[in-house]
Amino acid sequence: MQTLSTEDYLKAIYHVSQSSSGAVATTSIAKQIGAKPSSVTDMFKKLSDQNLVKYQKYQGVSLTNEGVKTALRIVRKHRLWESFLVSHLNFNWDEVHQVAEQLEHIQSEKLTNELERFLDYPTHDPHGDPIPNRALFMKTYSKILLTELPVNKEGVCIGVKDNSSGFLRYLDRRQIGIGTTLQVLHREDFDDSLHIQAGKSTLMITKKTAENIYVKP
Amino acid sequence: MQTLSTEDYLKAIYHVSQSSSGAVATTSIAKQIGAKPSSVTDMFKKLSDQNLVKYQKYQGVSLTNEGVKTALRIVRKHRLWESFLVSHLNFNWDEVHQVAEQLEHIQSEKLTNELERFLDYPTHDPHGDPIPNRALFMKTYSKILLTELPVNKEGVCIGVKDNSSGFLRYLDRRQIGIGTTLQVLHREDFDDSLHIQAGKSTLMITKKTAENIYVKP
DNA sequence: AAAAATATTTAGATTAAACTAAATTTTTAA
DNA sequence: TTAAAAATTTAGTTTAATCTAAATATTTTT
């Protein structure tokens, strides 16, 4: 049986490996988890003993098939709970993360599957991230960053890269959310800032903001 | 901040102190928690340092006001989650305990209060136990054991003393549940067994069964 | 290609929660 | 009211997850 902590590490390894190629480095997990690299090394060894990761000294880790499955089971629970909090318990999309971090560790297959049924088999969570189904399969539809959307072409916001509540609240203030229609009106060469149409209003956003918003063209 | 384990101990102390008078003995908690008495002593000291219990060597513990509050907050969460599992996630009343044991430790006041609102402020859980409200107050209406119900007087089943899934499934098979109308038709002097009317059917139950069923006359 | 910087691992210590075995206190019974 | 039994505590150990500091390996820069 897994302790909470090994689950946290597996999830972190999964997320880091999604947003970069090759093996996952000790330091990247240390940053993600908020632990010292030496603690991460210890855990890499433990996970390796359990055949959840492939580990070679000084070369980082990669998840085994079993490790991916375990990680996806946690991601599934995390995203289902986030969906529930927003759809039924009046949570805002910037408030759900911390609570879902706890709920994702609850062990009960029946609970997870019944929650999924109760929510009517959602495919995406409140941040636009796909929810693995019972077979741990998820549809990842093609998406591009707002920085890559050609000028004057319309797109729909379908997700965010940065899930921090600071960024999400900022988007709320700008009235940008999942489903908002976006269009780049002008790209400023000087500082890469963008003039955009967001729903009915026009506004200016920085490059940094734009590269944390996913759109479907 | 409390660890999971101190919460478990506080809840155990609360429950034991409800069903007996005076201080709570080390052994009774050891049995309840499934730990060795020496571990319980260690925890008693820790809880005492945090002013959650009053502890005197060899004399057991009693909860302080703060300790009672903390215990009631956990009981509140436990019973709200049990209610949710039964009312919305197709759990049977004998299946909820283990999962609620995990869910009761989730830390988020907003979650608890929103769950309560979502359930429309339930006053009792699926086993008939009262749910503390936001102010940690609960109505404990007067109830008697089925063994104390006078012969030929009608009563309604409003709870059970033994919450084990074995007993609950036994009651399911006998078609006895919360709300079932019960009436003692005959008390057998020889072995204290009871002939009862339960809803539309008559059946025989042992003394042991009867003294685990609460009724409202 | 050597030196410097960075990343990673090892060794040893710490903390919380448990344990066993032995010692002590309290309770029960003769 | 002692002796025996039961309950409780103490002392010392274990385990999992962390840490710091030192050692080692890898990568980058000159």
Side-chain angles (χ1 to χ4, degrees):
Chain A
M1 194 195 188
Q2 245 105 242
T3 63
L4 288 198
S5 218
T6 62
E7 293 194 348
D8 291 332
Y9 276 88
L10 286 174
K11 197 179 64 150
I13 295 167
Y14 175 79
H15 284 315
V16 171
S17 68
Q18 286 301 98
S19 57
S20 65
S21 62
V24 172
T26 309
T27 327
S28 60
I29 296 303
K31 258 182 217 138
Q32 182 90 1
I33 295 259
K36 300 293 165 191
S38 55
S39 310
V40 175
T41 300
D42 285 350
M43 190 54 85
F44 279 2
K45 286 179 192 164
K46 184 162 310 177
L47 293 173
S48 181
D49 290 345
Q50 300 179 245
N51 283 309
L52 294 165
V53 302
K54 208 160 68 82
Y55 170 55
Q56 286 199 107
K57 262 198 198 180
Y58 295 103
Q59 305 304 315
V61 290
S62 58
L63 292 171
T64 62
N65 286 345
E66 203 43 59
V68 171
K69 270 199 234 164
T70 308
L72 283 178
R73 260 181 238 120
I74 302 160
V75 168
R76 168 169 160 79
K77 285 188 276 182
H78 184 101
R79 293 180 180 167
L80 283 172
W81 280 116
E82 285 196 341
S83 304
F84 172 66
L85 294 177
V86 168
S87 63
H88 291 83
L89 297 193
N90 295 330
F91 276 69
N92 201 305
W93 72 339
D94 63 275
E95 301 176 303
V96 294
H97 190 73
Q98 202 219 335
V99 183
E101 289 279 292
Q102 300 177 62
L103 287 163
E104 72 189 7
H105 297 297
I106 304 291
Q107 317 255 222
S108 164
E109 268 199 59
K110 173 161 187 168
L111 174 60
T112 309
N113 294 332
E114 286 292 340
L115 183 63
E116 180 185 34
R117 179 200 52 72
F118 174 70
L119 297 172
D120 203 14
Y121 305 93
T123 58
H124 293 79
D125 76 9
H127 309 116
D129 295 314
I131 302 177
N133 67 14
R134 211 162 158 159
L136 303 182
F137 177 78
M138 54 185 162
K139 263 208 287 292
T140 56
Y141 43 52
S142 66
K143 56 192 178 183
I144 58 172
L145 292 175
L146 182 51
T147 44
E148 293 156 353
L149 188 67
V151 172
N152 286 324
K153 193 148 184 273
E154 271 198 352
V156 179
C157 173
I158 56 166
V160 292
K161 196 167 173 184
D162 177 354
N163 270 333
S164 72
S165 62
F167 181 59
L168 297 175
R169 274 205 297 271
Y170 170 76
L171 292 183
D172 275 348
R173 266 180 266 124
R174 291 299 175 97
Q175 309 210 50
I176 296 171
I178 305 290
T180 305
T181 301
L182 300 173
Q183 186 176 2
V184 179
L185 304 174
H186 174 69
R187 184 186 311 271
E188 187 59 60
D189 278 341
F190 170 63
D191 61 0
D192 290 318
S193 67
L194 301 176
H195 270 264
I196 65 168
Q197 180 83 34
K200 312 227 142 161
S201 49
T202 59
L203 43 93
M204 196 277 278
I205 60 174
T206 62
K207 185 190 179 195
K208 188 173 170 189
T209 297
E211 63 195 5
N212 277 295
I213 296 176
Y214 288 120
V215 295
K216 184 169 68 178
Chain B
M1 192 196 191
Q2 245 107 240
T3 63
L4 289 197
S5 218
T6 62
E7 293 193 349
D8 292 332
Y9 276 88
L10 286 173
K11 198 179 64 152
I13 295 167
Y14 175 79
H15 284 315
V16 171
S17 69
Q18 286 301 101
S19 57
S20 65
S21 62
V24 171
T26 308
T27 326
S28 61
I29 296 303
K31 257 181 218 140
Q32 181 91 359
I33 294 259
K36 300 292 165 191
S38 55
S39 310
V40 175
T41 301
D42 284 350
M43 190 55 84
F44 280 2
K45 286 180 191 163
K46 184 162 310 175
L47 293 173
S48 180
D49 291 343
Q50 299 178 246
N51 283 308
L52 294 165
V53 303
K54 207 159 68 84
Y55 170 56
Q56 286 199 105
K57 263 197 199 182
Y58 296 100
Q59 305 306 313
V61 291
S62 58
L63 292 170
T64 62
N65 286 344
E66 202 44 58
V68 171
K69 270 199 233 165
T70 307
L72 283 177
R73 263 182 235 116
I74 302 160
V75 168
R76 167 170 161 79
K77 285 189 277 181
H78 185 101
R79 292 180 181 168
L80 283 172
W81 280 116
E82 285 196 340
S83 304
F84 172 66
L85 295 177
V86 168
S87 63
H88 289 84
L89 298 193
N90 295 329
F91 275 69
N92 201 306
W93 72 339
D94 63 277
E95 301 177 303
V96 295
H97 191 72
Q98 201 219 336
V99 183
E101 287 280 294
Q102 300 176 63
L103 287 163
E104 73 190 5
H105 297 296
I106 303 291
Q107 317 256 218
S108 165
E109 268 199 59
K110 173 161 185 167
L111 174 59
T112 309
N113 294 332
E114 286 291 338
L115 182 63
E116 181 185 34
R117 178 200 53 72
F118 175 71
L119 298 172
D120 204 15
Y121 305 94
T123 58
H124 292 79
D125 77 9
H127 309 115
D129 295 314
I131 302 177
N133 68 13
R134 210 161 159 158
L136 303 181
F137 177 79
M138 52 185 166
K139 264 207 286 293
T140 55
Y141 42 52
S142 66
K143 57 192 180 186
I144 59 172
L145 293 175
L146 182 51
T147 44
E148 293 156 354
L149 187 67
V151 172
N152 286 324
K153 191 143 186 275
E154 271 199 352
V156 178
C157 173
I158 56 166
V160 291
K161 195 166 174 184
D162 177 353
N163 270 332
S164 71
S165 62
F167 182 58
L168 297 175
R169 273 204 298 273
Y170 170 76
L171 292 184
D172 275 348
R173 264 180 268 126
R174 291 298 175 100
Q175 307 210 53
I176 298 172
I178 306 290
T180 305
T181 301
L182 300 173
Q183 187 176 5
V184 179
L185 303 174
H186 174 71
R187 185 184 312 271
E188 188 59 61
D189 279 340
F190 169 62
D191 59 2
D192 290 318
S193 65
L194 300 177
H195 269 263
I196 64 168
Q197 178 84 32
K200 313 227 143 162
S201 49
T202 59
L203 41 93
M204 195 278 278
I205 60 176
T206 63
K207 186 189 180 197
K208 187 171 172 191
T209 296
E211 63 195 6
N212 277 294
I213 296 175
Y214 289 121
V215 295
K216 184 169 68 179

